[in-house]
């Protein structure tokens, strides 16, 4: 039996302590926002926070979560579902394509901005280099992080009356 | 996932036959046109399947309107990041004059009624999209039948917007709007021509009456279906051509979006399968030792399927742990190709045999041999491209439940009907006994046009009889799938005394799709011979994002660049001089040159390279600036100009160009699958690396809308120019000509 909190809720699960957090979260707790990409801490799709620090859940045993707090993508919004600045910027800058890596990207970006509220391009590249986006949304990720940080303005998306041939 | 499940019979009962025929919801494709008279279709099932919610009214096959005035576009293409769900809804919503904030998207079920007839028309009979009005019903019926026979519910070829969007979705929206107007005119007793629509509202100025669409949805469904409703002219577009935000993005930032790998089986406990295919294509499992695996916790079944092993367990991790302990021996491969060197030797042998004139001619004009013999200057070049794995971030997976002669499948696929048929065949069922759920894809890139993994899961499901989710490890995904082909391409160019490219002789070994990818006919080159001398591939082939363009653009645009340098001319000026008959290509090239400040001198150690490619109907030119001052390439900027005819959603189009460029940079810089002892050597992202954010340059994209009628694609055309533009930039900066991909290995 391993005991921890997940997204603020106390849980105890029957699991081999060696089982990676990823599979406990996805299979036993039904939180599928955290993704399996590589199984070897190489792609970042499985990024969650353990006591606030980003970790690769595919390679972190659940035993290490004993008595600690896990936060997944499902747990970062406010109590009424208010999206975080990072999530809002991901929408305003229309970042995701397929979206499969984006839970991990958002978890990594959230940790970056908490520790470094005004990151430079180099800071962003260093913090985000562990997260692969196969669709290639890096330009927008970089920009959206700056929008979330208040360094660059959010885009206002026109809904109608736009471009003509 | 359950929105495609059949609702209780009580809801289905409201769908009368009269309602269906009147609404023209008989079949798919552009079938709202004229289908109402085609007898014998299973019309009764469509409404209950796609409009089971309380208060929902299906107006025609592709539109339903809820009591809350929400318009739902039922989209037959899959969403794999390219934005098709949202843009197709945008096109329908514009013709319908719907309020975008109240538009939702529903994935059309894997059902023969939702074959993508217009995509089939685009593929089967290009250039014949527009039939005369009187022929439309027959024409549509014919292509619908072809599509149904071929299970054509396909997402690929950068085709969704220009086929299904331009015809099916726009016609469905326009027809639904006319039906709503007709219903309101009848009820209000006013002329239809006086009713105005906007923001999902009907209004009549003279009488002061107005109503939301929802109020007339049921009556509209009883109206006759307009056969060829008038579509908007570009000047009247309100949503088309705007950056309407994507409908699928909010759920992708909260973790709520459901991908194939997230499937659950309602009311059932899931089990998990880890798999190991034979390492060398075509071989079989000779023997296995699973003594340890049998005793491991959670293990339920160990299966030797002949061509792969599977361990089924309570958890995927337990299944994979157990699988790792199994030792297996395999039969010997009959392929003579054991290594990458063997593969390229086979290519070289085929090209040697073809010589300067042999092979099958694909493009031929003028007198290449004669002109080469008198050219002021000739040059030769040989280019190599390696095998590539698609590596979508969601590994191959499928969830299946086979029981009582029925099978239910949940999987990410670009071809749901083909996957359904292939799975059914593999386990001895008919396609009608298989229900396919296909949620969003964690990347496709052509890999999910193949159905191998779905068939494997179905076979496992047949063996277990209980629900099982099969997931490939990343290593399986890299090593055991299907691949972008490797190839070798040889050129001879002839330059005349005025420095013009007058002869183009080329032969290579792999010719797939699109057939014209090996040519660049927009350049005016008078003497040309392009041939294929086929050679065996050791690894199985699958279309890769932009397919043959992904290697051919590197070959052709490197060759053109070498020709420019052989002629002693500027690469942009050299190309422009050959574009006298191609004004749109010329405009795109001039645009990107202006964006990049092509005429200005780059900083010390830097160089710029250019490439121009037309693919999937879209013309794209890219310029790369690279810094070679550290002895290896560092990209400082990419500029991209593109003419897709008309960008339905400019921001979405730019996002696709950015994505295509990054995907192409991964291939250009890093991508290489190699063979050893007949098997793929790479396994995970450590030895099959992807471009990461710290290598990604800024990318500027500009769009030219030059033809609002004939549209090009978006998903693929950004990719082809980037590899040659980068190689050409490296040459400009350093004098080093890259003729073999990937680039990084030349600077290791």
């Amino acid at each position: 039996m391993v005991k921890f909190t997940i997204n603020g809720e106390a849980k105890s699960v029957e699991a081999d302590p060696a089982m990676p957090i990823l599979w406990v979260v996805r299979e036993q707790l039904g939180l599928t926002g955290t993704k399996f990409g590589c199984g070897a801490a190489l792609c970042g799709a499985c990024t969650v926070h353990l006591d606030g620090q980003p970790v690769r859940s595919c390679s972190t045993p659940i035993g290490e979560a004993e008595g600690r707090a896990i936060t997944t993508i499902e747990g970062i919004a406010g109590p009424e579902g208010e999206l975080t600045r990072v999530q809002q910027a991901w929408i305003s800058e229309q970042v995701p394509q397929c979206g499969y890596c984006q839970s991990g990207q958002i978890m990594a970006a959230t940790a970056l901005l908490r520790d470094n509220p005004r990151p430079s391009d180099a800071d962003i590249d260093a913090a985000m280099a562990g997260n692969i986006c196969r669709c290639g949304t890096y330009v927008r990720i970089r920009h959206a992080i700056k929008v979330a940080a208040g360094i660059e303005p959010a885009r206002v998306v026109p809904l109608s009356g736009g471009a003509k041939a | 996932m359950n929105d495609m499940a059949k609702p209780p019979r009580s809801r289905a009962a409201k769908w009368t036959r009269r309602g269906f025929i009147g609404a023209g919801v008989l079949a798919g494709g552009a079938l709202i046109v004229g289908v109402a008279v085609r007898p014998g279709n299973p019309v009764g099932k469509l409404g209950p399947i796609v409009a089971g919610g309380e208060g929902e009214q299906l107006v025609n096959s592709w539109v339903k309107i809820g009591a809350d005035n929400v318009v739902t576009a039922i989209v037959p293409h899959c969403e794999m990041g390219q934005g098709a769900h949202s843009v197709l809804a945008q096109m329908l919503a514009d013709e319908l004059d719907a309020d975008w904030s109240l538009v939702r998207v529903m994935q059309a079920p894997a059902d023969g009624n939702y074959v993508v007839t217009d995509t089939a028309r685009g593929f089967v009979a290009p250039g014949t999209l527009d039939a005369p009005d009187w022929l439309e019903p027959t024409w549509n019926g014919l292509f619908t039948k072809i599509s149904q026979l071929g299970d054509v519910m396909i997402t690929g070829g950068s085709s969704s917007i220009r086929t299904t969007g331009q015809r099916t979705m726009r016609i469905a929206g326009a027809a639904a709007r006319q039906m709503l107007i007709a219903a309101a005119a009848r009820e209000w007793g006013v002329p239809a021509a006086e009713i105005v629509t906007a923001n999902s509202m009907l209004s009549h100025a003279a009488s002061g009456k107005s109503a939301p669409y929802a109020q007339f949805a049921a009556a509209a469904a009883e109206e006759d279906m307009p056969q060829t409703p008038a579509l908007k002219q570009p000047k009247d577009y309100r949503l088309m051509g705007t950056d309407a935000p994507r409908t699928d993005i909010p759920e992708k930032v909260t973790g709520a979006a459901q991908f194939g790998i997230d499937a659950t089986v309602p009311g059932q406990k899931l089990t998990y399968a880890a798999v190991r295919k034979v390492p060398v294509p075509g071989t079989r499992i000779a023997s296995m030792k699973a003594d340890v695996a049998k005793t491991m916790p959670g293990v339920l079944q160990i299966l030797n399927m002949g061509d792969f092993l599977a361990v089924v367990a309570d958890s995927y991790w337990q299944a994979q742990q157990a699988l790792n302990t199994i030792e297996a021996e395999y039969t010997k491969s009959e392929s003579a190709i054991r290594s990458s060197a063997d593969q390229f030797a086979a290519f070289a042998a085929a090209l040697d045999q073809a010589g300067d004139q042999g092979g099958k001619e694909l493009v031929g004009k003028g007198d290449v041999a004669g002109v080469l013999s008198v050219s002021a200057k000739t040059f030769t070049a040989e280019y190599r491209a390696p095998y590539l794995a698609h590596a979508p971030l969601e590994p191959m997976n499928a969830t299946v439940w086979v029981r009582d002669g029925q099978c239910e499948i949940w999987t990410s696929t670009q071809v749901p009907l083909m996957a359904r048929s292939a799975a059914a065949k593999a386990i001895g069922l008919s396609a009608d006994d298989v229900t396919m759920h296909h949620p969003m894809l964690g990347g496709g890139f052509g890999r999910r046009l193949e159905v191998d993994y779905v068939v494997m899961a179905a076979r496992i499901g047949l063996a277990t009889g209980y629900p099982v989710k099969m997931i490939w490890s990343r290593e399986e995904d890299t090593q055991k799938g299907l691949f972008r082909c490797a190839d070798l391409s040889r050129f001879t160019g002839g330059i005349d005394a005025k420095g013009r490219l007058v002869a183009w002789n080329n032969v290579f070994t792999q010719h797939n799709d699109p057939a014209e990818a090996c040519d660049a006919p927009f350049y005016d080159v008078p003497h040309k011979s392009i041939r294929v001398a086929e050679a065996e591939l050791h690894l199985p082939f699958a279309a890769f994002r932009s397919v043959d363009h992904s290697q051919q653009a590197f070959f052709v645009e490197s060759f053109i660049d070498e020709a420019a340098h052989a002629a002693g001319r500027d690469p942009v000026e050299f190309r422009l001089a050959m574009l006298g008959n191609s004004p749109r290509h010329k405009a795109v090239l001039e645009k990107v040159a202006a964006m990049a400040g092509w005429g200005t001198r780059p900083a010390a150690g830097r160089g710029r390279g250019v490439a121009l490619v037309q693919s999937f109907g879209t013309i794209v030119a890219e310029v790369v600036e690279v810094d070679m001052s550290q002895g290896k390439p560092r990209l400082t900027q990419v500029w991209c100009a593109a003419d897709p005819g008309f960008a339905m959603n400019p921001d979405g189009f730019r996002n696709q160009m950015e994505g295509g460029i990054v995907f192409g940079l991964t291939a250009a810089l890093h991508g290489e699958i190699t063979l050893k002892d007949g098997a793929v050597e790479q396994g995970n992202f450590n030895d099959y690396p992807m471009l990461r954010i710290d290598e990604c340059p800024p990318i500027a994209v500009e769009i030219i809308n030059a033809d609002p009628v004939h549209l090009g694609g978006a998903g693929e055309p950004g990719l082809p120019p980037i590899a040659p533009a980068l190689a050409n930039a490296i040459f400009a900066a350093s004098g080093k000509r890259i003729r073999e991909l990937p680039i990084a290995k030349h600077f290791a």
Side-chain angles (χ1 to χ4, degrees):
Chain A
M1 190 75 86
V2 185
K3 293 183 179 175
F4 50 87
T5 69
I6 182 149
N7 301 333
E9 194 179 331
K11 286 274 179 201
S12 56
V13 298
E14 289 289 347
D16 182 337
M19 185 183 287
I21 291 172
L22 172 67
W23 302 110
V24 175
V25 165
R26 286 182 57 82
E27 296 175 356
Q28 296 192 37
L29 304 179
L31 296 171
T32 54
T34 304
K35 300 303 188 203
F36 169 55
C38 70
L42 293 166
C43 78
C46 67
T47 305
V48 301
H49 294 177
L50 189 58
D51 285 344
Q53 293 304 311
V55 298
R56 305 299 184 224
S57 69
C58 75
S59 303
T60 308
I62 191 68
E64 284 193 23
E66 176 70 41
R68 301 172 72 184
I70 301 170
T71 308
T72 69
I73 185 71
E74 291 92 345
I76 60 171
E80 305 297 320
E82 318 91 285
L83 299 182
T84 66
R85 286 176 305 151
V86 173
Q87 288 171 309
Q88 289 173 27
W90 249 244
I91 294 174
S92 70
E93 307 319 304
Q94 297 280 288
V95 173
Q97 289 190 23
C98 88
Y100 194 80
C101 75
Q102 298 295 350
S103 296
Q105 304 279 4
I106 289 168
M107 296 309 283
T110 300
L112 164 65
L113 288 177
R114 189 199 51 216
D115 298 342
N116 181 357
R118 291 185 69 82
S120 66
D121 277 6
D123 294 338
I124 292 171
D125 284 358
M128 303 298 295
N131 290 74
I132 290 171
C133 174
R134 185 59 166 143
C135 298
T137 63
Y138 298 127
V139 172
R140 285 169 192 247
I141 288 172
R142 212 182 270 139
H143 173 57
I145 289 173
K146 291 187 213 168
V147 169
I151 299 169
E152 291 181 359
R155 194 168 44 148
V156 179
V157 180
L159 277 178
S160 60
K164 296 291 184 283
Chain B
M1 149 196 79
N2 251 343
D3 57 359
M4 292 169 207
K6 290 179 175 135
R9 185 165 294 275
S10 59
R11 284 188 195 157
K14 71 182 178 186
W15 292 95
T16 63
R17 182 169 172 77
R18 165 78 188 99
F20 277 104
I21 292 176
V25 289
L26 280 156
L31 278 222
I32 52 166
V33 188
V35 286
V37 294
R38 235 175 76 231
N41 268 305
V43 298
K45 70 181 186 184
L46 201 53
I49 292 172
V50 299
E54 281 303 329
E56 280 188 343
Q57 178 67 52
L58 196 66
V59 180
N60 59 45
S61 307
W62 311 97
V63 196
K64 57 180 182 178
I65 299 177
D68 51 3
N69 217 26
V70 164
V71 166
T72 300
I74 303 169
V75 175
H77 289 284
C78 73
E79 179 53 58
M80 51 185 173
Q82 83 282 35
H85 271 190
S86 197
V87 181
L88 294 182
Q90 191 179 341
M91 296 169 82
L92 182 147
D94 197 340
E95 295 290 354
L96 180 56
D97 282 338
D99 178 345
W100 184 242
S101 68
L102 294 176
V103 173
R104 306 286 178 266
V105 179
M106 177 184 172
Q107 171 73 63
D111 182 298
N113 290 296
Y114 284 103
V115 290
V116 289
T117 300
D118 289 306
T119 302
R121 296 215 283 198
F123 284 142
V124 175
T128 56
L129 277 177
D130 297 303
D133 282 1
W134 60 269
L135 191 59
E136 276 291 335
T138 310
W139 200 237
N140 281 314
L142 176 67
F143 276 97
T144 300
K145 203 72 209 165
I146 290 171
S147 305
Q148 288 175 338
L149 287 172
D151 281 339
V152 182
M153 191 174 184
I154 185 170
T155 304
S158 298
S159 65
S160 302
I161 290 173
R162 54 202 177 116
T163 59
T164 302
Q166 279 290 73
R167 294 190 53 92
T168 309
M169 303 315 284
R170 288 184 64 184
I171 290 171
R177 176 177 166 275
Q178 279 191 26
M179 293 156 79
L180 287 161
I181 288 174
R186 193 185 313 275
E187 170 76 15
W188 291 344
V190 303
E194 292 178 6
I195 293 179
V196 174
T197 53
N199 291 320
S200 299
M201 296 285 291
L202 296 143
S203 59
H204 181 250
S207 66
K209 289 181 189 295
S210 72
Y213 282 174
Q215 190 174 319
F216 287 101
E222 299 284 325
E223 293 291 329
D224 288 337
M225 177 70 60
Q227 301 256 321
T228 51
L231 301 181
K232 288 184 177 178
Q233 295 300 307
K235 67 179 172 52
D236 299 318
Y237 291 174
R238 289 181 320 104
L239 286 170
M240 290 186 279
T242 71
D243 296 337
R246 275 172 64 161
T247 54
D248 57 328
I249 285 184
E251 62 182 316
K252 288 177 174 177
V253 306
T254 62
Q258 291 288 299
F259 298 85
I261 201 169
D262 301 327
T264 55
V265 178
Q268 298 291 314
K269 175 182 179 296
L270 260 184
T271 66
Y272 299 86
V275 294
R276 186 198 305 165
K277 281 173 82 171
V278 292
V280 182
T283 62
R284 306 277 296 173
I285 293 159
S287 65
M288 71 161 177
K289 278 202 293 194
D291 304 353
V292 176
K294 280 178 197 158
T295 67
M296 290 177 68
V299 172
L300 301 169
Q301 276 185 270
I302 296 169
L303 302 168
N304 179 346
M305 307 297 283
D307 52 340
F308 69 93
L309 300 172
V311 176
V312 185
D314 289 328
S315 152
Y316 175 71
W317 181 73
Q318 291 173 321
Q320 188 65 53
Q321 295 290 109
L323 181 64
N324 292 345
T325 69
I326 298 179
E327 292 173 30
E329 293 189 7
Y330 309 98
T331 60
K332 278 187 81 71
S333 167
E334 289 173 14
S335 172
I337 295 169
R338 304 290 295 163
S339 65
S340 293
D342 292 344
Q343 181 67 79
F344 281 94
F347 293 154
L351 297 186
D352 288 346
Q353 189 175 0
D356 289 338
Q357 294 174 39
K360 178 181 152 199
E361 188 167 80
L362 303 169
V363 178
K365 65 174 186 175
D367 173 16
V368 170
V371 171
L372 279 172
S373 68
V374 298
S375 290
K377 191 169 187 178
T378 63
F379 67 100
T380 62
E382 179 180 282
Y383 304 100
R384 283 170 60 134
Y387 282 116
L388 295 174
H390 304 69
L393 207 52
E394 179 192 7
M396 297 303 108
N397 69 88
T399 300
V400 296
W401 187 14
V402 183
R403 85 285 191 197
D404 305 330
Q406 301 279 313
C407 175
E408 203 161 354
I409 301 176
W410 294 257
T411 194
S412 301
T413 174
Q414 296 173 245
V415 287
L417 289 175
M418 292 179 196
R420 183 179 72 160
S421 291
K425 189 175 174 203
I427 60 175
L429 296 179
S430 82
D432 289 342
D433 296 323
V434 178
T435 303
M436 174 68 75
H437 307 270
H438 57 293
M440 287 184 188
L441 285 66
F445 315 121
R447 177 65 182 89
R448 289 189 160 100
L449 290 167
E450 306 296 329
V451 300
D452 54 310
Y453 57 99
V454 185
V455 168
M456 280 170 67
R459 289 168 59 200
I460 295 170
L462 181 67
T464 62
Y466 48 78
V468 57
K469 179 183 290 185
M470 176 205 70
I471 306 174
W472 288 24
S473 67
R474 175 54 56 189
E475 289 76 10
E476 285 290 306
D477 201 276
T478 304
Q479 297 172 339
K480 312 287 182 66
L482 301 94
F483 299 84
R484 200 289 299 273
C485 60
D487 200 6
L488 194 61
S489 184
R490 290 177 180 166
F491 287 83
T492 305
I495 309 285
D496 72 7
K498 292 180 177 165
R500 296 177 301 196
L501 179 63
V502 288
W504 166 331
N505 194 16
N506 174 218
V507 61
F508 49 85
T509 79
Q510 303 300 319
H511 187 234
N512 303 290
D513 291 307
E516 70 278 11
C518 53
D519 195 11
F522 42 86
Y523 290 135
D524 184 13
V525 179
H527 305 276
K528 194 185 276 187
S529 171
I530 301 176
R531 291 159 288 116
V532 59
E534 290 178 5
E536 179 198 353
L537 285 177
H538 177 70
L539 294 177
F541 170 86
F544 180 91
R545 194 173 188 176
S546 82
V547 207
D548 277 1
H549 286 289
S550 71
Q551 76 270 11
Q552 290 289 355
F554 170 67
F555 303 157
V556 169
E557 277 295 276
S558 295
F559 166 71
I560 294 293
D561 212 67
E562 297 212 48
H565 289 287
R569 294 169 65 180
D570 173 81
V572 167
E573 180 272 325
F574 181 77
R575 286 173 172 83
L576 286 174
M578 294 192 289
L579 292 172
N581 297 318
S582 307
R584 287 177 63 183
H585 298 78
K586 190 161 180 275
V588 169
L589 185 54
E590 285 172 338
K591 166 73 94 176
V592 82
M595 289 168 70
W598 182 265
T600 63
R601 178 189 283 280
R606 297 188 183 189
R608 298 187 195 116
V610 67
L612 170 67
V613 179
Q614 176 172 343
S615 66
F616 306 95
T618 294
I619 304 161
V620 183
E622 289 165 10
V623 169
V624 172
E625 184 179 271
V626 70
D627 179 355
M628 294 297 293
S629 60
Q630 304 300 312
K632 60 181 185 182
R634 181 180 70 87
L635 280 79
T636 56
Q637 175 76 45
V638 173
W639 297 270
C640 168
D643 175 1
F646 183 84
M648 282 292 165
N649 185 314
D651 186 58
F653 184 85
R654 278 191 292 273
N655 206 351
Q656 286 307 300
M657 291 300 109
E658 294 162 12
I661 286 166
V662 172
F663 202 91
L665 283 176
T666 287
L669 282 166
H670 303 297
E672 183 175 35
I673 291 291
T674 56
L675 302 172
K676 185 182 180 189
D677 298 330
V680 170
E681 290 190 279
Q682 292 70 28
N684 210 315
F685 296 126
N686 56 330
D687 51 12
Y688 189 65
M690 304 284 116
L691 195 85
R692 292 172 183 269
I693 196 169
D694 55 352
E695 278 190 302
C696 181
I699 300 169
V701 180
E702 291 200 23
I703 301 167
I704 299 174
N705 287 329
D707 182 348
V709 175
H710 303 97
L711 303 192
E716 295 166 281
L719 186 153
I722 197 66
L726 174 55
N728 296 341
I730 290 170
F731 180 79
S734 68
K736 185 178 174 72
R737 175 58 67 180
I738 305 289
R739 297 192 181 91
E740 179 182 352
L741 297 178
I743 289 168
K745 76 181 195 182
H746 300 281
F747 300 96

